[in-house]
Amino acid sequence: MNKKNLLALAGALVIGASVGIVYEKFLASVLKEKLESISFDLKPEPIGYQGVAKIEAVQAYLFYDHTGGISGNLLTKKHLVLWNTVIGEGDAGEGSNSTLVVVEVSGEGSSAKVNVVITDEDQKTIINETRKFWIFDSDRKFYMPFIVPNTGCKEITITAKLVGKGFSPSSISQTIPFKCGE
């Protein structure tokens, strides 16, 4: 999937996750415009394919509510402080109530499914979705976006796992340490 398709899919997901028709249209147009102006550094790199699809990585980006911008990948930062993210404190830099999660899958000539479960610190399920993917090109990568609403005050855990017959188990679990308080 190329960057343009990823951006279009992220815009569509924002529409489905937003509340209210007016808010949905506004957020989708702003997100699409901002995503088109940034680079995700999602260039595929050659990998030694052994005939098995694999979950390679989970990436997470804050969506800035007041500017429509997007942060850098939260999961690559050490000692990340996401305290009162909803009002822009800590490492957030700006207020954020939504998080863009991208699951990276590698393989070649593959068609399978990825199950993504996102829960908060109270074990409440925010997203539990299984999606099919296809990898038939030379890039050998597939990027699957998810918009997670109402983030910023409770820690969330993202678990992505490969499901389907004929595939070795492959999964990644990452936690984003959101917290709020005085």
Side-chain angles (χ1 to χ4, degrees):
M1 177 175 280
N2 62 33
K3 177 182 171 186
K4 189 173 183 177
N5 289 342
L6 176 63
L7 295 174
L9 185 55
L13 287 172
V14 167
I15 291 171
S18 300
V19 177
I21 294 171
V22 173
Y23 183 67
E24 288 176 354
K25 289 180 181 178
F26 169 76
L27 188 58
S29 67
V30 169
L31 181 59
K32 182 179 178 190
E33 179 182 316
K34 294 299 180 179
L35 286 174
E36 288 173 349
S37 70
I38 65 172
S39 170
F40 271 111
D41 191 30
L42 297 180
K43 301 247 187 261
E45 55 186 322
I47 58 171
Y49 181 69
Q50 302 297 316
V52 177
K54 181 180 177 185
I55 305 288
E56 290 289 337
V58 172
Q59 303 165 20
Y61 306 87
L62 297 176
F63 175 78
Y64 297 128
D65 301 325
H66 299 286
T67 63
I70 296 202
S71 72
N73 185 357
L74 301 173
L75 299 174
T76 60
K77 297 180 181 182
K78 293 188 186 266
H79 312 294
L80 183 64
V81 177
L82 293 173
W83 185 260
N84 291 336
T85 301
V86 295
I87 59 173
E89 292 187 3
D91 291 335
E94 295 182 41
S96 174
N97 288 296
S98 300
T99 303
L100 169 63
V101 172
V102 179
V103 177
E104 177 185 340
V105 182
S106 68
E108 185 175 22
S110 299
S111 174
K113 293 179 182 179
V114 171
N115 175 250
V116 173
V117 177
I118 302 174
T119 57
D120 68 16
E121 63 191 42
D122 300 323
Q123 302 306 311
K124 178 183 172 194
T125 300
I126 302 167
I127 292 176
N128 183 356
E129 192 170 327
T130 301
R131 294 188 191 167
K132 192 166 189 171
F133 70 90
W134 298 268
I135 302 176
F136 294 113
D137 57 13
S138 61
D139 292 341
R140 298 189 268 182
K141 299 276 183 153
F142 189 88
Y143 298 90
M144 199 172 291
F146 298 84
I147 300 296
V148 187
N150 304 316
T151 58
C153 278
K154 290 185 176 183
E155 180 176 280
I156 63 170
T157 301
I158 305 154
T159 303
K161 64 182 173 181
L162 192 63
V163 295
K165 293 181 179 180
F167 289 95
S168 298
S170 175
S171 67
I172 290 181
S173 188
Q174 295 280 356
T175 299
I176 303 174
F178 293 116
K179 293 287 181 196
C180 281
E182 292 183 29

